[in-house]
mmCIF file of all heavy atoms in Angstrom:
data_model
loop_
_atom_site.group_PDB
_atom_site.id
_atom_site.type_symbol
_atom_site.label_atom_id
_atom_site.label_comp_id
_atom_site.label_asym_id
_atom_site.label_seq_id
_atom_site.Cartn_x
_atom_site.Cartn_y
_atom_site.Cartn_z
ATOM 1 N N MET T 1 154.117 132.554 138.483
ATOM 2 C CA MET T 1 152.911 133.245 138.689
ATOM 3 C C MET T 1 152.195 133.482 137.292
ATOM 4 O O MET T 1 151.025 133.333 137.043
ATOM 5 C CB MET T 1 153.222 134.686 139.393
ATOM 6 C CG MET T 1 151.901 135.394 139.582
ATOM 7 S SD MET T 1 150.530 134.630 140.695
ATOM 8 C CE MET T 1 151.444 134.660 142.255
ATOM 9 N N VAL T 18 132.345 125.600 126.825
ATOM 10 C CA VAL T 18 131.490 124.481 127.266
ATOM 11 C C VAL T 18 130.059 125.071 127.469
ATOM 12 O O VAL T 18 128.974 124.416 127.059
ATOM 13 C CB VAL T 18 131.975 123.718 128.450
ATOM 14 C CG1 VAL T 18 130.931 122.714 128.872
ATOM 15 C CG2 VAL T 18 133.348 122.949 128.061
ATOM 16 N N LYS T 37 121.275 124.370 110.672
ATOM 17 C CA LYS T 37 121.013 123.152 111.301
ATOM 18 C C LYS T 37 120.333 123.451 112.773
ATOM 19 O O LYS T 37 120.776 124.179 113.531
ATOM 20 C CB LYS T 37 122.172 122.244 111.508
ATOM 21 C CG LYS T 37 121.918 120.982 112.243
ATOM 22 C CD LYS T 37 123.201 120.029 112.510
ATOM 23 C CE LYS T 37 122.967 118.774 113.038
ATOM 24 N NZ LYS T 37 124.067 117.967 113.314
ATOM 25 N N VAL T 39 118.683 121.451 116.382
ATOM 26 C CA VAL T 39 118.648 120.261 117.215
ATOM 27 C C VAL T 39 117.582 120.366 118.232
ATOM 28 O O VAL T 39 117.488 121.471 118.982
ATOM 29 C CB VAL T 39 120.011 120.156 117.877
ATOM 30 C CG1 VAL T 39 119.980 118.830 118.751
ATOM 31 C CG2 VAL T 39 121.218 120.152 116.814
ATOM 32 N N ALA T 101 103.188 111.794 125.604
ATOM 33 C CA ALA T 101 102.328 111.366 126.726
ATOM 34 C C ALA T 101 101.177 110.548 126.242
ATOM 35 O O ALA T 101 100.717 110.742 125.099
ATOM 36 C CB ALA T 101 101.782 112.653 127.409
ATOM 37 N N ASN T 108 93.409 116.102 130.254
ATOM 38 C CA ASN T 108 93.492 117.191 131.279
ATOM 39 C C ASN T 108 93.243 118.536 130.717
ATOM 40 O O ASN T 108 92.908 119.444 131.214
ATOM 41 C CB ASN T 108 94.867 117.142 132.054
ATOM 42 C CG ASN T 108 95.034 116.065 133.007
ATOM 43 O OD1 ASN T 108 94.337 116.047 134.031
ATOM 44 N ND2 ASN T 108 95.896 114.993 132.624
ATOM 45 N N ALA T 119 86.556 101.634 126.899
ATOM 46 C CA ALA T 119 86.892 100.206 126.813
ATOM 47 C C ALA T 119 86.192 99.670 125.427
ATOM 48 O O ALA T 119 85.178 100.070 125.110
ATOM 49 C CB ALA T 119 86.409 99.290 127.987
ATOM 50 N N ASN T 124 90.023 96.316 116.174
ATOM 51 C CA ASN T 124 91.186 95.885 115.519
ATOM 52 C C ASN T 124 92.184 97.007 115.480
ATOM 53 O O ASN T 124 91.820 98.165 115.514
ATOM 54 C CB ASN T 124 91.007 95.276 114.105
ATOM 55 C CG ASN T 124 90.205 96.096 113.207
ATOM 56 O OD1 ASN T 124 90.749 97.251 112.856
ATOM 57 N ND2 ASN T 124 89.094 95.749 112.826
ATOM 58 N N LYS T 125 93.471 96.800 115.095
ATOM 59 C CA LYS T 125 94.407 97.789 115.037
ATOM 60 C C LYS T 125 94.248 98.840 113.842
ATOM 61 O O LYS T 125 94.541 99.960 113.961
ATOM 62 C CB LYS T 125 95.889 97.144 114.902
ATOM 63 C CG LYS T 125 96.302 96.514 116.135
ATOM 64 C CD LYS T 125 97.690 95.858 115.925
ATOM 65 C CE LYS T 125 97.630 94.743 115.002
ATOM 66 N NZ LYS T 125 98.960 94.068 114.847
ATOM 67 N N ALA T 130 93.605 104.069 111.677
ATOM 68 C CA ALA T 130 92.810 104.897 110.762
ATOM 69 C C ALA T 130 92.266 106.060 111.463
ATOM 70 O O ALA T 130 92.147 107.192 110.803
ATOM 71 C CB ALA T 130 91.686 104.122 110.021
ATOM 72 N N ASP T 141 94.787 117.321 116.393
ATOM 73 C CA ASP T 141 95.816 118.309 116.009
ATOM 74 C C ASP T 141 95.345 119.741 116.228
ATOM 75 O O ASP T 141 96.096 120.534 116.848
ATOM 76 C CB ASP T 141 96.095 118.155 114.536
ATOM 77 C CG ASP T 141 96.786 116.897 114.213
ATOM 78 O OD1 ASP T 141 97.224 116.133 115.024
ATOM 79 O OD2 ASP T 141 96.967 116.568 112.960
ATOM 80 N N ALA T 143 92.786 120.771 118.393
ATOM 81 C CA ALA T 143 92.667 120.935 119.646
ATOM 82 C C ALA T 143 93.930 121.183 120.400
ATOM 83 O O ALA T 143 94.102 122.053 121.286
ATOM 84 C CB ALA T 143 91.877 119.848 120.303
ATOM 85 N N GLU T 146 95.095 124.763 119.692
ATOM 86 C CA GLU T 146 94.264 125.848 120.208
ATOM 87 C C GLU T 146 94.323 125.850 121.738
ATOM 88 O O GLU T 146 94.393 126.886 122.400
ATOM 89 C CB GLU T 146 92.814 125.666 119.752
ATOM 90 C CG GLU T 146 92.580 125.870 118.316
ATOM 91 C CD GLU T 146 91.181 125.565 117.856
ATOM 92 O OE1 GLU T 146 90.459 125.130 118.735
ATOM 93 O OE2 GLU T 146 90.853 125.974 116.701
ATOM 94 N N GLY T 149 98.782 124.955 122.613
ATOM 95 C CA GLY T 149 99.790 125.733 121.913
ATOM 96 C C GLY T 149 100.952 124.820 121.429
ATOM 97 O O GLY T 149 102.142 125.320 121.307
ATOM 98 N N VAL T 152 101.033 118.425 117.084
ATOM 99 C CA VAL T 152 101.115 117.014 117.090
ATOM 100 C C VAL T 152 101.887 116.440 115.948
ATOM 101 O O VAL T 152 101.505 116.770 114.847
ATOM 102 C CB VAL T 152 99.705 116.334 117.098
ATOM 103 C CG1 VAL T 152 99.951 114.732 117.165
ATOM 104 C CG2 VAL T 152 98.905 116.795 118.315
ATOM 105 N N GLY T 154 103.183 113.245 115.629
ATOM 106 C CA GLY T 154 103.266 111.818 115.620
ATOM 107 C C GLY T 154 102.368 111.051 116.648
ATOM 108 O O GLY T 154 101.914 111.793 117.632
ATOM 109 N N ASP T 162 96.230 94.115 127.854
ATOM 110 C CA ASP T 162 95.716 92.776 128.280
ATOM 111 C C ASP T 162 95.903 92.557 129.688
ATOM 112 O O ASP T 162 96.400 93.545 130.469
ATOM 113 C CB ASP T 162 96.502 91.649 127.504
ATOM 114 C CG ASP T 162 96.177 91.762 126.025
ATOM 115 O OD1 ASP T 162 95.064 91.731 125.631
ATOM 116 O OD2 ASP T 162 97.163 91.800 125.249
ATOM 117 N N GLU T 170 89.382 83.063 132.350
ATOM 118 C CA GLU T 170 89.030 82.537 130.825
ATOM 119 C C GLU T 170 87.534 83.023 130.442
ATOM 120 O O GLU T 170 87.196 82.856 129.291
ATOM 121 C CB GLU T 170 89.037 80.929 130.901
ATOM 122 C CG GLU T 170 90.375 80.372 131.147
ATOM 123 C CD GLU T 170 90.340 78.862 131.412
ATOM 124 O OE1 GLU T 170 89.248 78.413 131.642
ATOM 125 O OE2 GLU T 170 91.387 78.204 131.244
ATOM 126 N N VAL T 178 88.347 89.723 141.780
ATOM 127 C CA VAL T 178 89.813 89.923 141.469
ATOM 128 C C VAL T 178 90.049 91.347 141.651
ATOM 129 O O VAL T 178 89.473 92.318 141.116
ATOM 130 C CB VAL T 178 90.095 89.446 140.057
ATOM 131 C CG1 VAL T 178 91.495 89.908 139.581
ATOM 132 C CG2 VAL T 178 89.906 88.015 139.739
ATOM 133 N N LYS T 186 88.074 106.551 134.669
ATOM 134 C CA LYS T 186 86.787 106.074 134.988
ATOM 135 C C LYS T 186 86.226 105.068 133.964
ATOM 136 O O LYS T 186 85.405 104.171 134.318
ATOM 137 C CB LYS T 186 85.822 107.278 135.037
ATOM 138 C CG LYS T 186 85.534 107.960 133.892
ATOM 139 C CD LYS T 186 84.519 109.117 134.148
ATOM 140 C CE LYS T 186 84.249 109.978 132.811
ATOM 141 N NZ LYS T 186 83.292 111.046 133.097
ATOM 142 N N MET T 202 96.530 102.898 141.050
ATOM 143 C CA MET T 202 97.881 102.742 141.751
ATOM 144 C C MET T 202 98.967 103.259 140.825
ATOM 145 O O MET T 202 98.919 103.185 139.652
ATOM 146 C CB MET T 202 97.980 101.269 142.000
ATOM 147 C CG MET T 202 99.339 100.872 142.839
ATOM 148 S SD MET T 202 99.519 99.172 143.016
ATOM 149 C CE MET T 202 98.100 98.829 144.091
ATOM 150 N N GLN T 212 103.359 91.258 144.495
ATOM 151 C CA GLN T 212 104.183 90.304 145.375
ATOM 152 C C GLN T 212 103.476 90.166 146.696
ATOM 153 O O GLN T 212 103.378 89.042 147.248
ATOM 154 C CB GLN T 212 105.601 90.853 145.573
ATOM 155 C CG GLN T 212 106.562 90.465 144.406
ATOM 156 C CD GLN T 212 107.979 90.826 144.908
ATOM 157 O OE1 GLN T 212 108.171 92.014 145.371
ATOM 158 N NE2 GLN T 212 109.025 90.080 144.531
ATOM 159 N N TYR T 231 106.641 91.198 135.602
ATOM 160 C CA TYR T 231 105.339 90.718 136.191
ATOM 161 C C TYR T 231 105.143 89.276 136.174
ATOM 162 O O TYR T 231 104.496 88.555 137.030
ATOM 163 C CB TYR T 231 104.199 91.405 135.546
ATOM 164 C CG TYR T 231 104.127 92.970 135.627
ATOM 165 C CD1 TYR T 231 103.625 93.709 134.641
ATOM 166 C CD2 TYR T 231 104.689 93.492 136.833
ATOM 167 C CE1 TYR T 231 103.562 95.064 134.758
ATOM 168 C CE2 TYR T 231 104.594 94.916 136.948
ATOM 169 C CZ TYR T 231 104.129 95.695 135.852
ATOM 170 O OH TYR T 231 104.033 97.107 136.060
ATOM 171 N N LYS T 236 101.296 84.371 136.513
ATOM 172 C CA LYS T 236 101.569 83.370 135.469
ATOM 173 C C LYS T 236 100.460 83.055 134.479
ATOM 174 O O LYS T 236 100.517 82.075 133.723
ATOM 175 C CB LYS T 236 101.907 82.107 136.314
ATOM 176 C CG LYS T 236 103.121 81.963 137.095
ATOM 177 C CD LYS T 236 104.321 82.135 136.293
ATOM 178 C CE LYS T 236 105.623 82.009 137.184
ATOM 179 N NZ LYS T 236 106.848 82.220 136.368
ATOM 180 N N VAL T 238 98.211 85.213 131.372
ATOM 181 C CA VAL T 238 97.851 86.347 130.624
ATOM 182 C C VAL T 238 96.611 86.094 129.913
ATOM 183 O O VAL T 238 96.504 85.085 129.249
ATOM 184 C CB VAL T 238 99.010 86.693 129.581
ATOM 185 C CG1 VAL T 238 98.569 87.853 128.776
ATOM 186 C CG2 VAL T 238 100.298 87.096 130.421
ATOM 187 N N GLY T 275 108.432 107.391 110.716
ATOM 188 C CA GLY T 275 109.023 106.840 111.980
ATOM 189 C C GLY T 275 107.887 106.294 112.816
ATOM 190 O O GLY T 275 108.213 105.143 113.309
#
Side-chain angles (χ1 to χ4, degrees):
M1 180 64 71
V18 171
K37 179 179 178 179
V39 181
N108 288 291
N124 58 61
K125 290 179 293 186
D141 295 351
E146 293 177 351
V152 180
D162 295 305
E170 300 173 340
V178 172
K186 66 179 180 181
M202 180 183 297
Q212 275 187 319
Y231 296 149
K236 294 297 185 181
V238 174

